[in-house]
């Protein structure tokens, strides 16, 4: 059998300015295809008219916790050192140049960035009102199966949901701790799952109850949790005033990867009623744990959706007066 290519040496791809155009096109195709596979969505490459608006791909994805609803996401694909760089501690840094170009439109844009040397790819969701300064993103911004849930959370920023717990009133705290506990546990058991606009279904499990009422916790903190729990389902249906990622870690076992993230949601417009019937503003603090499990080599699976599992459970809830 003839082998006509044996005379051509195998070499690393060149990355001089002469190859910028072809390398850029290849990298964009690579990162867009990878994102589409990770999200199990449908995509349309940008037309010439869309390109003039700096949109490389329009992606349609089934919403992870809103049945019969789809998310439409506008994507820009970037590569190379002009737009970002990988960080030694994990994650990547998105430069001002990339964010400025994304903010030229009146829509939120998902920036997809790939490092050409390692093929590691990341995403960042830029709102029209986002700052144009360079920004660091953690390892949880790697393109992968978990990003669908993160995108849904990012898109809820502009939703019309009620916000901050406005209109929810925590009744007067019962002086009898035993009576408060009885009322709270009845409410906790009756609401096994509550749907949040930013996290989807949050489960009320034994883990959360045991954490809130462990022996080492002070009586005043337990009372704050007992008073809030009956109103917690109503509060969680609101958009939080602020939401922070407290911790995220990755574990690998048996060819599966699990991402565990802990979030703190604050609802600053909740009201608390005193014994005299006077309402004062308080802030509800809610901590939740999210676990997402998927195959380590998800990009090799033709039937990925059934291999992705996710749970969100309540860790703690209490109020703190402003």
């Amino acid at each position: 059998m003839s082998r006509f290519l044996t005379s051509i040496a195998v070499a690393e791809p060149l990355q001089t300015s002469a190859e910028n155009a072809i390398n850029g096109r290849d990298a964009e195709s690579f990162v867009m295809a990878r994102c589409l596979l990770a999200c199990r969505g449908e995509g349309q490459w940008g037309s010439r008219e869309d390109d003039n608006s700096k949109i490389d791909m329009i992606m349609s994805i089934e919403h992870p916790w809103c049945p019969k609803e789809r998310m439409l996401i506008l994507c820009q694909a970037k590569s190379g050192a002009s737009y970002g760089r990988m960080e030694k501690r994990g994650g990547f840094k998105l430069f001002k140049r990339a964010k400025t170009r994304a903010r030229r439109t009146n829509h939120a844009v998902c920036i997809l960035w790939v490092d050409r040397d390692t093929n590691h790819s990341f995403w960042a969701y830029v709102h029209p009102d986002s700052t144009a300064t360079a920004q660091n993103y953690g390892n949880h911004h790697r393109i992968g199966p978990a990003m669908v849930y993160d995108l849904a959370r990012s898109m809820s920023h502009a939703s019309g949901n009620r916000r901050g717990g406005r209109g929810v009133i925590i009744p007067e705290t019962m002086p009898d701790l035993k009576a408060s506990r009885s009322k709270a546990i009845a409410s906790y058991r009756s609401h096994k799952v509550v749907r949040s606009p930013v996290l989807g279904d949050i489960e009320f499990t034994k883990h959360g109850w045991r954490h809130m009422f462990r022996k080492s916790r002070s009586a005043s903190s337990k009372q704050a949790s007992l008073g809030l729990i009956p109103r917690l389902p109503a509060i969680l249906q609101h958009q939080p005033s602020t939401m922070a990622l407290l911790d995220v870690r990755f574990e690998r076992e048996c060819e599966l990867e699990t991402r565990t993230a802990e979030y703190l949601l604050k609802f600053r417009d909740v009201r608390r009623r005193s014994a005299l019937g006077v309402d004062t503003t308080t802030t509800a603090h809610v901590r939740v744990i999210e676990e997402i499990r998927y195959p380590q080599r998800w990009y090799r699976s033709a039937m990925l959706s059934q291999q992705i599992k996710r749970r969100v459970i309540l860790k703690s809830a209490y109020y703190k007066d402003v």
Side-chain angles (χ1 to χ4, degrees):
M1 183 175 66
S2 299
R3 300 182 65 185
F4 302 108
L5 294 175
T6 54
S7 61
I8 301 177
V10 178
E12 289 293 322
L14 299 176
Q15 296 198 58
T16 65
S17 58
E19 291 80 27
N20 270 349
I22 188 172
N23 287 341
R25 288 196 299 269
D26 286 350
E28 287 178 8
S29 297
F30 172 85
V31 74
M32 287 191 293
R34 199 173 182 89
C35 176
L36 207 59
L37 174 61
C39 295
R40 289 88 64 201
E42 301 172 5
Q44 174 188 333
W45 287 175
S47 67
R48 180 177 299 174
E49 184 176 343
D50 292 324
D51 286 341
N52 290 336
S53 300
K54 304 302 179 184
I55 301 300
D56 298 313
M57 180 176 68
I58 301 172
M59 185 166 57
S60 173
I61 314 171
E62 183 178 350
H63 199 290
W65 55 76
C66 293
K68 300 180 180 179
E69 183 177 326
R70 295 190 71 83
M71 302 186 295
L72 289 177
I73 300 170
L74 307 181
C75 301
Q76 286 185 10
K78 304 294 182 185
S79 66
S82 298
Y83 297 102
R85 70 160 183 253
M86 292 185 60
E87 296 291 80
K88 293 181 179 179
R89 294 184 179 181
F92 84 116
K93 184 171 186 175
L94 186 66
F95 294 154
K96 178 180 179 179
R97 182 181 181 185
K99 294 183 73 175
T100 299
R101 295 196 173 190
R103 291 173 69 246
R104 288 181 182 177
T105 71
N106 293 323
H107 308 281
V109 173
C110 181
I111 298 178
L112 311 175
W113 180 82
V114 58
D115 180 78
R116 296 178 188 172
D117 295 317
T118 64
N119 294 331
H120 291 312
S121 49
F122 301 85
W123 66 273
Y125 199 76
V126 179
H127 296 277
D129 58 351
S130 297
T131 61
T133 55
Q135 187 170 347
N136 289 85
Y137 296 87
N139 245 343
H140 58 291
H141 276 265
R142 292 181 302 173
I143 289 179
M147 71 179 289
V148 173
Y149 308 101
D150 297 327
L151 285 172
R153 184 159 41 252
S154 298
M155 292 185 72
S156 70
H157 171 80
S159 68
N161 292 304
R162 292 169 295 175
R163 187 175 296 271
R166 185 180 296 275
V168 178
I169 299 176
I170 301 173
E172 176 190 353
T173 304
M174 297 180 184
D176 185 355
L177 186 60
K178 187 175 181 179
S180 295
R181 184 183 180 91
S182 178
K183 181 180 179 180
I185 198 169
S187 175
Y188 195 85
R189 288 173 175 173
S190 65
H191 295 92
K192 294 183 178 180
V193 178
V194 175
R195 178 157 295 179
S196 159
V198 294
L199 286 164
D201 291 344
I202 300 175
E203 300 177 40
F204 289 15
T205 66
K206 291 181 180 179
H207 176 87
W209 185 268
R210 289 170 179 168
H211 182 80
M212 287 185 282
F213 301 105
R214 60 192 184 276
K215 289 183 179 179
S216 59
R217 198 163 181 239
S218 67
S220 60
S221 297
K222 290 179 182 178
Q223 192 69 273
S225 293
L226 290 173
L228 182 63
I229 285 174
R231 295 292 184 265
L232 193 54
I235 293 171
L236 286 175
Q237 293 175 40
H238 286 227
Q239 187 86 9
S241 304
T242 59
M243 181 174 180
L245 177 63
L246 301 180
D247 181 51
V248 61
R249 61 183 184 275
F250 296 85
E251 297 177 1
R252 292 188 171 187
E253 185 177 4
C254 301
E255 299 186 354
L256 295 172
E257 181 170 85
T258 301
R259 191 189 84 175
T260 304
E262 183 174 340
Y263 297 95
L264 172 62
L265 287 66
K266 291 186 180 181
F267 302 85
R268 302 186 186 278
D269 296 322
V270 178
R271 307 284 289 177
R272 187 166 69 89
R273 184 155 294 168
S274 69
L276 300 176
V278 178
D279 293 346
T280 56
T281 301
T282 190
T283 300
H285 293 66
V286 182
R287 293 193 180 205
V288 297
I289 298 173
E290 176 192 57
E291 285 190 351
I292 306 173
R293 188 183 68 197
Y294 46 86
Q296 290 184 38
R297 299 182 178 182
W298 55 268
Y299 43 84
R300 295 186 178 182
S301 177
M303 295 182 289
L304 179 60
S305 294
Q306 296 182 64
Q307 301 179 71
I308 301 171
K309 303 297 178 185
R310 177 179 182 260
R311 288 186 73 186
V312 182
I313 66 169
L314 177 72
K315 181 179 180 180
S316 67
Y318 58 93
Y319 63 81
K320 183 183 292 186
D321 292 341
V322 179

